[in-house]
Amino acid sequence: MRKQTVLQQFFLAVVTWGLFWSPVSAEIEEVKNYAILLDLSTSMLQPLDGTPKYKIAQQALKNLEATLVGQTNVSFIYFANGTDKQNDAINCLSSRQVIRNGEAITAEHLSTVVRHLGAPEGRKTNIAHAITIAAQDLKTIGGGKIILISDGNENCDLDPVQLARELQGANIPIDTIGIGKAADFSELGRIALAGGGAFQLANSAAGLAEALSSAAPMSGAGGMGDAEPQTMPMASGNGQIPALPAPATQPMVLEIDVSVTEGPKLPVAVEIILDVSGSMAGRLQGIPKITMARQALSEALSGLDSNAFVVGFRAYGFDHSVAKTPKDSCPNTVLLNPVTQNQIPSIRTQVGGLIPYGYTPLAKSLELAGEDLLAVESDKQMIILLTDGEESCGGDPQAVAANLRSRGIDVEVHIVGFDLALEEAAVLKDVAVAGGGAYYDAQNLEELSSALTRVIEVTANKVDPDWLRTISPVVGGSTADDALLLAPGTYTLTDHLPKGEEMFFRVTTAKAQRGVVRGLIQSRRLIRQGDAKVESDHGYAQYAIRVYEADGGKIGGRSVRLHGEPGTFGHVGYSDLIGDGFVFAISSNYDQVHKDALFNVEVMDASDQYVGLEASEKLTQTTPAITLNTPTTGHLGDGDRKDVYKVELGEGTSVVTVNLNFHQPEFVSRVIVKGLSTGQTIQSVASRGDAYALLIDLPEDEKQGLMIEIRSNNPSLREKFSSYELTVTTKDAP
């Protein structure tokens, strides 16, 4: 058996925590869900009987278009799509979910999937990573099947066979389909065997389509053919009482404006450039791209809110006072916030007020950003450009980026391309490389947030970690009973924590309050050098934060593992429904925890009980009853994963409308409407933060009432928290 690396242990731990520590309700419906994993490694360019393998995959999906369009229980994930020539560690973490379970597949969706299968460029085949991502997603909806399509073997030093074995007992079998010759697929066969699935061989588009159809039956009970419930936009407002907004969970801030072990060196200078050209008014999934950019940028900026950075903000294309012509709009690139400290709140405000309008002067903006940074006394310089289009003002951004480096400016140009075609992305990738940086692709809000977070993490790694360091060092208890009581604030440890040991802390919360513990890695892995412990030059540090009930009892799934470069952050929360507080522990089962591991405690008012109501997780005599035509406010997240309500109906009611509005736009939920007397499901729909309405024609045997389940479908390891507003209206039979 080959030795596990730290990366292997990390991924196996992620899957184990997410699938076996989080309780799965016995009431979850037995509905087949599918995650289809598509290989984008360069080997897919190789011909098979004269046809490139990627074209076989493309044609197979085209053949299945009539069957796939309209399905709501199929997700697609690309893997082996990392293209970084210098860092295979990044390539081994590269995958992208392009269609999620719960989304109704459209012809446009499928066309996008097919298009991006073209000309594969991936440098590493990270099968285990893709399986991990798919498993986390399927786990949130009660399980399902993974269908892995590949032409090769894992080459990221992970063990997908062992991972498949772990998943077999978690209602997530794995089928594998190999595109090529039988002799090439020993590992795919072992994955299927270990995962309780089947291996099939495909050497043509028709063969692949047939194999997919066999792995995922396209019709029948529990199959992929269930129709999407009828939905319509829900009107908001109308004088209704708004729900209490759920507090946003921000990434950990790099706080260094306190006493530290060493004096700070020169800061890292960063200039952010935002595209506010007319194309940013376009919509993705019904949401303006500029709205997505505002949200993603606002969240990511927290990682730069520190005296370790001086940050400026430039935008172009936003000036509506000039004519919308190249002559008048192309000069519109402005430094709205100077490159200095304490700019983050102001930058957020500026971003919120910009309206897309004009042209795209990329080259000129990069040139001026370089001059802005050159004027600042700093240790290193970074440009972060977010754009949805190429140069439209006649400039040469690649030449400008290269020129900045040639002038001796130690600058890195990082570009986040949003909603770009492959050809456009290739152009901007060349610009980033010429500027000594990297290109990050994003096709939706989640990918945009992830890309910006990754860029900020790269930026944070430019900071000398020696001057972030010690903040309010504390020593916790060795058990939950003697946990150290902490007030809200930011802390580090007094000494390194040995492998396998937990250090416990207690937080006081009142009934209806929510506690959040955030963590931040500030160091690299500890290694022994002679008799001393020193930091590795390359090894990643890691530690976990686990939340316990006040008496020390474990709460399933309430934990977060941090693993990576300095600047890596994460959070875990607890909603107090009793008023006795909670306990959390710092530990690592795989390594020592560096004493400068940073953690922050925050307490806020937020739960159903805060508005006088706590919805139960199953139908009981105390299950709250919905008052028709009256908004009801609830909350989900951080352990409270399901709310149940009952609706009693009057005589003659024939149609019911269930209106739901989550206030966190990225909160993933599923609403299930059942008959109050029979318990049979009438309608079920998944959604991501949308306001929508279910129209329900009542069956003859369900006239007395309904039961409404509202579930969090967010992965428990990346739990989100949101308030929502639920209103039920009725219509009598004619």
Side-chain angles (χ1 to χ4, degrees):
M1 180 177 175
R2 53 182 175 174
K3 184 179 179 181
Q4 287 185 343
T5 64
V6 171
L7 192 59
Q8 278 179 292
Q9 295 166 347
F10 171 63
F11 277 118
L12 290 175
V14 166
V15 173
T16 301
W17 288 1
L19 295 173
F20 302 117
W21 287 16
S22 277
V24 177
S25 169
E27 297 180 45
I28 289 179
E29 300 168 64
E30 294 184 1
V31 175
K32 276 290 185 181
N33 301 293
Y34 301 87
I36 299 175
L37 314 186
L38 301 168
D39 188 338
L40 289 185
S41 62
T42 53
S43 60
M44 289 288 285
L45 293 167
Q46 297 171 359
L48 176 63
D49 296 333
T51 303
K53 297 174 192 173
Y54 78 87
K55 287 188 176 293
I56 290 175
Q58 284 182 317
Q59 188 58 51
L61 291 180
K62 289 178 182 177
N63 292 349
L64 292 173
E65 178 177 354
T67 309
L68 286 169
V69 169
Q71 307 303 332
T72 60
N73 54 348
V74 185
S75 64
F76 283 85
I77 297 174
Y78 299 139
F79 69 99
N81 58 328
T83 60
D84 194 310
K85 295 180 180 179
Q86 282 78 41
N87 194 339
D88 274 340
I90 292 177
N91 295 331
C92 284
L93 297 175
S94 182
S95 63
R96 185 188 351 163
Q97 188 165 30
V98 288
I99 298 178
R100 293 182 171 276
N101 267 287
E103 292 183 62
I105 298 176
T106 65
E108 291 74 21
H109 277 144
L110 204 56
S111 175
T112 299
V113 173
V114 171
R115 185 178 78 247
H116 283 288
L117 280 173
E121 298 179 88
R123 302 176 67 86
K124 300 292 285 186
T125 305
N126 54 341
I127 291 174
H129 178 258
I131 291 174
T132 300
I133 299 300
Q136 288 178 316
D137 186 53
L138 288 173
K139 174 260 174 182
T140 66
I141 51 177
K145 180 188 285 187
I146 294 173
I147 302 171
L148 169 67
I149 302 172
S150 179
D151 75 327
N153 299 322
E154 171 76 40
N155 60 12
C156 282
D157 199 24
L158 302 174
D159 190 351
V161 177
Q162 182 178 347
L163 185 55
R165 190 174 295 115
E166 296 284 346
L167 293 174
Q168 184 181 6
N171 196 25
I172 302 182
I174 302 177
D175 280 7
T176 58
I177 302 174
I179 303 179
K181 305 297 183 182
D184 299 332
F185 298 118
S186 170
E187 185 175 65
L188 289 186
R190 286 184 289 117
I191 291 171
L193 181 64
F199 168 73
Q200 298 184 72
L201 192 65
N203 53 21
S204 66
L208 179 56
E210 182 178 353
L212 264 173
S213 298
S214 172
M218 298 297 171
S219 62
M224 296 165 60
D226 298 333
E228 183 187 23
Q230 183 181 2
T231 63
M232 67 178 188
M234 186 185 80
S236 59
N238 298 327
Q240 297 175 352
I241 301 173
L244 290 174
T249 299
Q250 298 293 337
M252 171 67 75
V253 176
L254 302 178
E255 301 182 54
I256 61 168
D257 51 344
V258 293
S259 297
V260 292
T261 54
E262 296 184 11
K265 301 177 182 179
L266 290 175
V268 173
V270 183
E271 183 158 317
I272 297 166
I273 305 174
L274 178 63
D275 182 344
V276 199
S277 63
S279 58
M280 286 291 284
R283 291 175 175 266
L284 285 177
Q285 298 176 321
I287 303 173
K289 288 189 281 186
I290 188 64
T291 301
M292 296 184 178
R294 290 186 188 118
Q295 178 179 330
L297 188 56
S298 179
E299 293 173 355
L301 280 171
S302 296
L304 298 178
D305 196 0
S306 160
N307 291 339
F309 308 99
V310 287
V311 184
F313 174 59
R314 175 178 291 276
Y316 60 78
F318 61 88
D319 190 351
H320 289 242
S321 69
V322 301
K324 193 172 182 179
T325 63
K327 176 183 177 182
D328 296 296
S329 181
C330 284
N332 175 219
T333 172
V334 181
L335 183 65
L336 297 173
N337 291 85
V339 185
T340 185
Q341 290 182 342
N342 304 317
Q343 291 293 300
I344 301 305
S346 178
I347 292 174
R348 287 195 177 105
T349 301
Q350 291 277 17
V351 171
L354 297 175
I355 307 298
Y357 176 69
Y359 281 70
T360 307
L362 289 185
K364 189 63 175 178
S365 297
L366 290 173
E367 179 183 355
L368 293 176
E371 295 177 5
D372 298 334
L373 294 171
L374 193 59
V376 176
E377 189 177 9
S378 60
D379 186 35
K380 301 177 181 68
Q381 297 84 35
M382 310 277 289
I383 295 174
I384 301 172
L385 166 65
L386 194 168
T387 181
D388 76 332
E390 298 178 78
E391 171 76 36
S392 64
C393 291
D396 187 344
Q398 184 174 347
V400 169
N403 184 55
L404 290 176
R405 308 268 304 169
S406 68
R407 290 171 55 192
I409 303 175
D410 185 19
V411 66
E412 292 181 11
V413 178
H414 294 274
I415 299 177
V416 178
F418 187 29
D419 188 34
L420 294 179
L422 290 175
E423 299 78 10
E424 296 171 319
V427 172
L428 290 180
K429 187 182 299 183
D430 290 340
V431 176
V433 171
Y439 174 80
Y440 303 81
D441 190 61
Q443 297 295 325
N444 54 44
L445 177 56
E446 182 177 5
E447 291 177 9
L448 182 60
S449 297
S450 175
L452 284 169
T453 298
R454 287 170 61 195
V455 176
I456 297 302
E457 288 174 354
V458 169
T459 306
N461 292 340
K462 303 298 179 182
V463 177
D464 184 346
D466 289 340
W467 57 283
L468 299 178
R469 296 312 191 191
T470 307
I471 300 172
S472 303
V474 292
V475 178
S478 57
T479 67
D481 290 337
D482 61 0
L484 176 68
L485 182 63
L486 287 182
T490 303
Y491 305 90
T492 52
L493 303 178
T494 300
D495 297 300
H496 301 317
L497 184 62
K499 171 185 173 181
E501 289 189 15
E502 285 187 293
M503 188 170 284
F504 290 85
F505 303 91
R506 185 175 299 276
V507 180
T508 299
T509 51
K511 182 177 180 179
Q513 285 189 322
R514 177 185 183 233
V516 178
V517 184
R518 301 185 178 97
L520 175 76
I521 289 177
Q522 296 195 107
S523 65
R524 292 194 178 274
R525 183 186 182 194
L526 283 169
I527 59 174
R528 185 170 293 281
Q529 192 174 84
D531 295 330
K533 293 177 182 177
V534 299
E535 289 183 28
S536 164
D537 289 334
H538 304 290
Y540 285 169
Q542 60 174 301
Y543 70 97
I545 303 173
R546 295 184 177 88
V547 173
Y548 296 82
E549 293 173 339
D551 61 1
K554 284 187 177 180
I555 307 169
R558 306 311 306 135
S559 59
V560 63
R561 174 178 292 275
L562 293 90
H563 174 273
E565 300 276 4
T568 299
F569 53 79
H571 81 279
V572 61
Y574 174 76
S575 296
D576 193 338
L577 305 179
I578 301 174
D580 57 355
F582 66 96
V583 171
F584 71 92
I586 304 291
S587 68
S588 173
N589 290 328
Y590 303 102
D591 219 334
Q592 299 178 81
V593 180
H594 197 290
K595 66 183 180 63
D596 294 339
L598 190 117
F599 53 98
N600 169 273
V601 177
E602 183 179 3
V603 175
M604 60 195 74
D605 292 322
S607 87
D608 294 350
Q609 291 190 359
Y610 190 59
V611 290
L613 170 76
E614 171 53 28
S616 59
E617 291 202 356
K618 59 183 179 180
L619 186 64
T620 67
Q621 289 184 341
T622 60
T623 296
I626 293 290
T627 302
L628 294 175
N629 305 310
T630 301
T632 295
T633 296
H635 302 77
L636 281 181
D638 285 341
D640 184 7
R641 297 188 60 83
K642 183 169 74 170
D643 287 346
V644 175
Y645 302 93
K646 61 184 177 183
V647 183
E648 296 175 352
L649 302 175
E651 191 71 28
T653 301
S654 61
V655 177
V656 173
T657 303
V658 178
N659 303 282
L660 188 66
N661 182 18
F662 274 90
H663 297 98
Q664 291 289 349
E666 281 299 285
F667 194 89
V668 183
S669 65
R670 178 173 288 276
V671 180
I672 302 171
V673 180
K674 299 181 178 182
L676 195 58
S677 58
T678 66
Q680 296 297 312
T681 297
I682 300 173
Q683 283 198 20
S684 174
V685 65
S687 181
R688 179 185 294 274
D690 297 325
Y692 60 91
L694 295 184
L695 301 179
I696 301 166
D697 291 316
L698 289 175
E700 287 300 322
D701 56 350
E702 299 291 3
K703 299 296 186 181
Q704 75 174 75
L706 301 172
M707 180 175 68
I708 300 173
E709 292 183 8
I710 306 174
R711 297 177 180 172
S712 167
N713 267 9
N714 302 279
S716 60
L717 290 179
R718 299 193 303 275
E719 182 66 279
K720 297 180 184 294
F721 181 84
S722 180
S723 55
Y724 62 82
E725 185 177 273
L726 172 66
T727 308
V728 178
T729 60
T730 63
K731 181 180 179 181
D732 292 341

